[in-house]
Amino acid sequence: MNTHRKHILGVIGGVLAAQLASPALAAGLPQLDIATFTPQLVWLAITFVVLYLLMSRIALPRIGQVIEERQHRIEDNLAKAETLRADAAEAEASYEAALAKARADAHSVMVEVHDQVASEAAAKLADLSAKLDDNLKQAEDRLVQEKEKALESLGEIATEVTRALTEQLTGGDVSDKDISKAVGTALEARQ
Amino acid sequence: MANPLEQFTIKTLVPIQLGEVNASLTNAGLFMVLTVAAVTLFLTLGMTRRAAVPGRWQSMAELSYEFIAGMIRDNVGNEGRRYFPFVFSLFMFILFANLIGMIPYSFTFTSHIAVTFTMAMVVFLGVTVIAIIRHGLHFFSFFLPTGVPMVMAPILVPIEVLSYLSRPISLSIRLFANMMAGHTMIKVFAGFVIPLGILGGWAPLTVIVALTAFEFLVAFLQAYVFTVLTCLYLNDAIHLH
């Protein structure tokens, strides 16, 4: 392990030594070689001026134009979308109004029909109940008559029964006058 | 064994001499040309269809446009629109230079202080000229913040002037040092992969993979920082605080 490390350190040291000892470094930084300045600066001036002219005359106007056109198009489309949106809102409003009107109409028609039906029904009901009352009254009257009739015939029946019973019991004849008197008192006592 | 700084060496490809001036095409110059070509192709080819609903490529082109446009809008305001082409060119130039520099065997010209300092000086001088044109002598009130008692002026003014003058230095060194350090680190770790062999070489290789991912972040971030600071300086020049 130790010899390995020594070996690696030796290699690193050797590389660094070779790099530092080379003639270029001994001559100093290449950047500080004043003789190379003028050709560099001459070409820097030429190339940068050319680049500036190419950029300001050709490249940048083109890009700027394309971006501007796109911006215009987007604005146009936005404006168009805005008018379409306004149209749609208007259409919706008129639709809403029409719907509300239709609803109100339907409601008034319904109320009218309802009122009409209700009044008709009320009239019919009143008619019916009047008729029913009438019928009831007639029935009651008839009932009273029947009852009276029944009560009247009750006396006759009672007289007949009494006669038959007394004949059976006594074997003799009893006068009609007596029987009706007795029945009359008995009926009166019952009532 | 390769020196980790060798990758920064400027090599002359086509010697050109214009009078007294050495205008040779170097590897740095070549990659500047490639960067300009890449930026231009990226932006123009992506926009050929001019689609209202953009594809991926067109989206990226528009995204970079809107990224810088938004940056100027947020940091400078409406007056910054005039400087949009310059700020955009600056951002794309640095970003593509950094990203192309991530390709193995390519060259990262933003790792050279001469280039970054020149760009920083252009920004610094341009911003100062804009400020003086807009505000005249009033510009110098910038070095005395409002509401500060006059007693403090002898101390504060030199500090403000110094901090103003150090802007191009910090701006250029930040970019150059970040790019150089990242590429050097990757190279140093790369030097260990083969000597440590099939068993030990995996450790530096893993570090390289992580560093590479990190460097892509740095490539974007440094372009962003350079541009944002340019916007802030522009804002100072236009609004004086």
Side-chain angles (χ1 to χ4, degrees), chain B:
Chain B
M1 183 58 56
N3 182 301
L5 298 180
E6 205 178 276
Q7 57 178 321
F8 302 116
T9 316
I10 300 285
K11 295 181 192 111
T12 302
L13 304 176
V14 184
I16 303 168
Q17 190 73 31
L18 296 175
E20 291 290 297
V21 183
N22 173 14
S24 305
L25 180 67
T26 59
N27 48 357
L30 175 67
F31 275 90
M32 288 172 194
V33 173
L34 289 178
T35 299
V36 170
V39 171
T40 309
L41 291 179
F42 170 69
L43 292 176
T44 50
L45 292 187
M47 298 302 295
T48 42
R49 279 179 51 235
R50 291 163 168 259
V53 179
R56 282 179 217 168
W57 195 353
Q58 190 181 329
S59 285
M60 286 195 289
E62 287 179 14
L63 199 67
S64 46
Y65 180 101
E66 278 171 350
F67 180 62
I68 300 300
M71 192 193 282
I72 292 181
R73 205 184 313 116
D74 295 343
N75 292 310
V76 189
N78 244 343
E79 298 97 326
R81 290 179 125 195
R82 289 178 56 193
Y83 310 107
F84 173 56
F86 175 77
V87 176
F88 185 80
S89 305
L90 195 65
F91 175 72
M92 293 307 269
F93 193 62
I94 298 172
L95 178 66
F96 272 66
N98 293 350
L99 290 178
I100 289 174
M102 288 305 296
I103 300 168
Y105 298 106
S106 69
F107 184 82
T108 319
F109 63 80
T110 43
S111 66
H112 274 259
I113 184 75
V115 173
T116 61
F117 187 71
T118 306
M119 292 196 289
M121 278 311 282
V122 167
V123 168
F124 175 74
L125 293 176
V127 160
T128 308
V129 167
I130 289 168
I132 288 174
I133 288 174
R134 273 189 164 251
H135 302 287
L137 287 177
H138 194 63
F139 161 68
F140 294 99
S141 74
F142 183 74
F143 299 115
L144 187 66
T146 45
V148 172
M150 285 312 276
V151 192
M152 298 288 283
I155 309 166
L156 261 180
V157 170
I159 293 176
E160 289 285 327
V161 170
L162 204 66
S163 90
Y164 188 76
L165 292 179
S166 65
R167 278 176 174 184
I169 300 168
S170 66
L171 195 57
S172 59
I173 289 182
R174 185 181 299 111
L175 175 58
F176 139 77
N178 265 287
M179 298 323 292
M180 185 186 154
H183 285 259
T184 311
M185 287 241 286
I186 290 179
K187 195 77 176 185
V188 167
F189 279 101
F192 289 117
V193 177
I194 301 301
L196 285 178
I198 194 89
L199 289 176
W202 295 102
L205 192 62
T206 313
V207 175
I208 294 172
V209 172
L211 273 180
T212 306
F214 180 68
E215 279 306 302
F216 274 104
L217 176 72
V218 170
F220 170 76
L221 209 61
Q222 288 307 317
Y224 175 73
V225 166
F226 200 101
T227 321
V228 156
L229 286 174
T230 301
C231 287
L232 291 179
Y233 297 161
L234 206 53
N235 184 45
D236 281 347
I238 291 170
H239 300 117
L240 286 188
H241 288 300

Side-chain angles (χ1 to χ4, degrees), chain A residues 26-58:
Chain A
L29 283 177
Q31 280 90 336
L32 299 181
D33 183 1
I34 291 169
T36 66
F37 282 12
T38 40
Q40 282 191 80
L41 298 186
V42 166
W43 283 90
L44 175 66
I46 296 170
T47 52
F48 193 80
V49 167
V50 168
L51 181 70
Y52 178 79
L53 292 176
L54 285 171
M55 292 298 108
S56 60
R57 298 280 153 85
I58 299 169

Side-chain angles (χ1 to χ4, degrees), chain A:
Chain A
M1 191 64 210
N2 222 0
T3 52
H4 241 87
R5 197 171 289 162
K6 265 183 189 162
H7 173 68
I8 291 172
L9 285 176
V11 171
I12 292 174
V15 170
L16 278 179
Q19 286 181 344
L20 291 173
S22 61
L25 196 70
L29 283 177
Q31 280 90 336
L32 299 181
D33 183 1
I34 291 169
T36 66
F37 282 12
T38 40
Q40 282 191 80
L41 298 186
V42 166
W43 283 90
L44 175 66
I46 296 170
T47 52
F48 193 80
V49 167
V50 168
L51 181 70
Y52 178 79
L53 292 176
L54 285 171
M55 292 298 108
S56 60
R57 298 280 153 85
I58 299 169
L60 292 179
R62 270 192 207 174
I63 301 176
Q65 199 188 349
V66 169
I67 291 174
E68 205 167 301
E69 267 168 24
R70 177 178 312 132
Q71 195 59 39
H72 279 314
R73 220 163 117 178
I74 290 170
E75 274 161 16
D76 267 17
N77 286 350
L78 281 180
K80 225 179 272 171
E82 183 55 38
T83 54
L84 286 177
R85 203 193 59 78
D87 286 357
E90 205 176 293
E92 197 200 345
S94 64
Y95 162 77
E96 287 289 346
L99 195 70
K101 192 174 172 294
R103 213 173 264 155
D105 285 358
H107 187 252
S108 67
V109 166
M110 236 157 75
V111 165
E112 207 174 287
V113 169
H114 183 261
D115 286 355
Q116 203 181 327
V117 166
S119 65
E120 271 174 22
K124 267 186 191 160
L125 199 67
D127 206 25
L128 192 66
S129 72
K131 218 183 264 175
L132 284 178
D133 280 352
D134 199 33
N135 283 358
L136 199 65
K137 202 155 187 243
Q138 279 178 12
E140 270 173 4
D141 285 355
R142 223 164 39 224
L143 205 65
V144 170
Q145 278 175 11
E146 291 294 327
K147 193 182 169 188
E148 275 171 12
K149 221 188 269 175
L151 280 178
E152 261 169 44
S153 54
L154 192 67
E156 275 172 42
I157 294 165
T159 313
E160 291 296 315
V161 170
T162 312
R163 178 177 295 143
L165 279 174
T166 45
E167 273 175 18
Q168 288 281 317
L169 288 173
T170 59
D173 221 357
V174 186
S175 70
D176 282 357
K177 207 181 163 195
D178 288 342
I179 291 166
S180 30
K181 200 182 169 191
V183 168
T185 39
L187 278 175
E188 252 161 56
R190 289 289 292 246
Q191 272 177 356

